[in-house]
Amino acid sequence: MMQRAVFSRGALLAQNTAAALESSLAPRSAPLLMRLDRSMSSLTIPPPASLLRPLEVPNRYLFGPGPSNVPPRVLAAGGRPIIGHLHPEMYEIMNDIKKGIQYIFQTENNMTISMSGSGHAAMECAVFNTVEPGESVLVAVNGIWGERVAEIAERMGANVHKMVKTPGQLFTNTEIEQAMAKHKPVLFFLTHGESSAGLCHPMDGIGDICQKHNCLFLVDTVASMGAAPIFMDHQKIDILYTGSQKALNAPPGTAPISFNERACDKMFNRKTKPVSYLLDMTHLSNYWGCDGQTVRAYHHTGPVSGFFSLRESLAILAEKGLEESWRQHKELAAYLYKGLEDLGLTLFIRDKDLRLPSVTTIAIPKGYNWRELLVYMMKNHNIEMTGGLGPSIGMVMRIGLMGYNCKKSNADMALHALEDALKNCKKSKV
Ligand code: PMP
């Protein structure tokens, strides 16, 4: 059932080379061959046998929290010929990406770029550039992503204060304002789509509180962008980032990020240099043509193919329209909730208005071993779903249907696989 794909000319070459090697060496005995090889080569480490075989990648249904399946158009974009990362055509493509990010973030911010790296690169970029060692940072922790940002800020020497809740719980605006008045942070972090818990956190009013307390508002939308409404400018979010591999349906490895004027004021008027050269926004803003300079200097070599794919995934979302994408995710999520409840399962986030439409969390059904359920679905249905992450491990199982995968037929497949697993993993009941 599992299809095997053989990729690329390189792989064919390796296949041919392996075949040629095999036939030319067939009559010789192994010890003689080894002696001959040693005498003819200066290498002590032979080429790994596994690399002389063709690349094999299974087709899988990626119904976990990401990466998600990538549509053929985006895959094809990544297979276009490489051009120089500083060629004028590449600048055009980067400009398209910038406009696409401004659209999906709903922002007019000039300082809008994509990181050459995954969501974590954007997290580190946001913190490293806007915070100096010793400054106070406030982090809302209600799942793994707050924990991560707190650790990133601690590592660069910030004075980190955490507001901690159990996974899936929210923070009221009053609680946030009280903590802000107490700790006087320069930066407040909140996750919009908490993918480890399946919560979509309300955003209204928090930007105003941050402005009142002269604090920058940093929001993570890696798991929610394109699937749930967010309005960077209107909601007064100072720094917003996302990732390529979820509802955007590009391969992992690029991460859009945007900074408003308040964030730029802070990050370009600092006393110390950011700890990371690669993530320094003075260089990245020049690379992305955001600093008003006519010449873009070499800083690092951007992931050219990754940017092609990202450009195309943003084009697909622009063609569909953000509001239509939000509507589709919400509608499919409601269909999935009903199917899960019909199977007797309990949704982890009780209030349906607070559920993240892209990643649905279900409470682990009583008496089942969640790992066995996941392994069963992978083995028998070729479907990936996942368990919890960080503090939600052992609490939830997660189903992600986002972007390209946001289809009723996929929800039906996921529900069928779960039903089958629940029936057949009875043995694992404890
Ligand atoms: N934030 C959230 C909400 C996420 O879901 C993820 C990825 N699971 C990340 C950040 C980190 O992104 P990446 O794995 O691309 O570094």
Side-chain angles (χ1 to χ4, degrees):
M1 284 246 291
M2 196 178 292
Q3 288 175 30
R4 293 188 157 181
V6 176
F7 290 97
S8 86
R9 245 189 283 159
L12 283 176
L13 204 69
Q15 206 177 10
N16 293 341
T17 314
L21 255 178
E22 222 170 79
S23 68
S24 71
L25 301 178
R28 299 185 197 151
S29 70
L32 173 64
L33 168 65
M34 279 161 68
R35 280 202 306 277
L36 273 177
D37 278 352
R38 284 214 192 102
S39 64
M40 281 161 29
S41 172
S42 59
L43 305 179
T44 50
I45 311 294
S50 60
L51 284 183
L52 302 178
R53 290 196 293 269
L55 173 68
E56 284 183 12
V57 180
N59 274 319
R60 236 169 228 154
Y61 298 103
L62 303 180
F63 297 167
S68 193
N69 291 102
V70 175
R73 176 171 160 189
V74 176
L75 281 178
R80 299 282 185 94
I82 298 294
I83 53 172
H85 68 297
L86 299 176
H87 290 181
E89 295 85 353
M90 197 64 216
Y91 294 159
E92 277 302 303
I93 290 164
M94 290 163 81
N95 287 342
D96 291 347
I97 291 173
K98 178 171 169 172
K99 287 184 197 133
I101 300 171
Q102 287 171 325
Y103 170 64
I104 63 167
F105 283 15
Q106 287 295 290
T107 183
E108 290 179 11
N109 292 341
N110 169 49
M111 200 56 67
T112 299
I113 70 168
S114 170
M115 304 305 302
S116 303
S118 79
H120 276 79
M123 292 157 100
E124 296 205 330
C125 177
V127 175
F128 288 174
N129 282 280
T130 57
V131 181
E132 293 195 64
E135 287 183 328
S136 169
V137 171
L138 181 65
V139 181
V141 180
N142 57 350
I144 194 172
W145 304 110
E147 285 184 354
R148 276 293 154 89
V149 167
E151 177 165 353
I152 287 168
E154 269 159 18
R155 282 176 182 229
M156 51 86 31
N159 186 11
V160 177
H161 303 279
K162 295 186 219 175
M163 304 170 67
V164 183
K165 296 230 176 181
T166 52
Q169 287 206 311
L170 30 103
F171 299 89
T172 64
N173 287 10
T174 310
E175 286 168 337
I176 292 169
E177 180 148 25
Q178 279 168 354
M180 224 169 260
K182 184 170 171 201
H183 299 298
K184 303 192 176 18
V186 297
L187 183 76
F188 171 60
F189 171 84
L190 184 64
T191 312
H192 180 228
E194 226 316 334
S195 55
S196 63
L199 179 81
C200 192
H201 203 290
M203 288 287 135
D204 286 344
I206 303 173
D208 288 306
I209 298 170
C210 290
Q211 288 201 355
K212 187 173 143 197
H213 291 268
N214 197 23
C215 168
L216 295 175
F217 186 22
L218 167 63
V219 177
D220 177 323
T221 62
V222 172
S224 55
M225 184 53 62
I230 189 106
F231 304 89
M232 183 173 190
D233 290 355
H234 183 67
Q235 289 171 319
K236 299 186 180 150
I237 298 167
D238 298 298
I239 310 146
L240 189 71
Y241 64 82
T242 189
S244 56
Q245 75 273 25
K246 309 243 176 180
L248 291 184
N249 295 141
T254 56
I257 188 167
S258 179
F259 298 82
N260 70 4
E261 288 288 325
R262 291 177 81 226
C264 289
D265 270 359
K266 173 87 170 75
M267 74 180 171
F268 294 135
N269 290 299
R270 40 188 298 153
K271 295 181 205 83
T272 57
K273 285 185 179 179
V275 289
S276 166
Y277 185 87
L278 179 64
L279 304 179
D280 186 335
M281 277 303 293
T282 45
H283 299 301
L284 292 175
S285 64
N286 176 262
Y287 179 38
W288 279 84
C290 302
D291 65 350
Q293 302 292 318
T294 41
V295 177
R296 300 193 198 187
Y298 167 73
H299 168 245
H300 74 285
T301 308
V304 171
S305 311
F307 287 154
F308 293 165
S309 297
L310 179 63
R311 190 253 181 227
E312 220 47 15
S313 71
L314 290 165
I316 290 173
L317 194 45
E319 286 163 18
K320 175 178 283 181
L322 259 185
E323 285 160 316
E324 176 58 15
S325 183
W326 297 337
R327 193 194 62 73
Q328 286 178 6
H329 282 85
K330 197 172 171 191
E331 204 174 288
L332 189 78
Y335 179 79
L336 182 68
Y337 304 155
K338 165 88 176 57
L340 291 167
E341 280 163 351
D342 287 349
L343 288 179
L345 295 164
T346 306
L347 289 146
F348 183 68
I349 305 290
R350 294 299 163 98
D351 183 344
K352 69 174 176 11
D353 293 332
L354 295 177
R355 289 179 193 149
L356 178 60
S358 44
V359 180
T360 298
T361 40
I362 46 180
I364 293 164
K366 273 217 168 55
Y368 282 91
N369 177 332
W370 58 273
R371 284 197 179 86
E372 275 186 47
L373 292 170
L374 298 176
V375 167
Y376 182 91
M377 288 187 281
M378 176 67 92
K379 202 168 147 210
N380 295 285
H381 295 268
N382 201 22
I383 288 178
E384 178 194 54
M385 289 181 205
T386 67
L389 189 63
S392 69
I393 289 180
M395 286 182 167
V396 297
M397 283 171 49
R398 300 184 292 162
I399 309 174
L401 293 172
M402 31 197 156
Y404 182 56
N405 281 349
C406 180
K407 292 180 190 121
K408 197 165 162 283
S409 53
N410 287 338
D412 287 336
M413 271 172 59
L415 288 166
H416 171 67
L418 259 172
E419 186 178 15
D420 191 29
L422 289 169
K423 216 180 283 162
N424 285 288
C425 294
K426 280 202 178 115
K427 282 195 299 296
S428 70
K429 274 192 166 191
V430 287

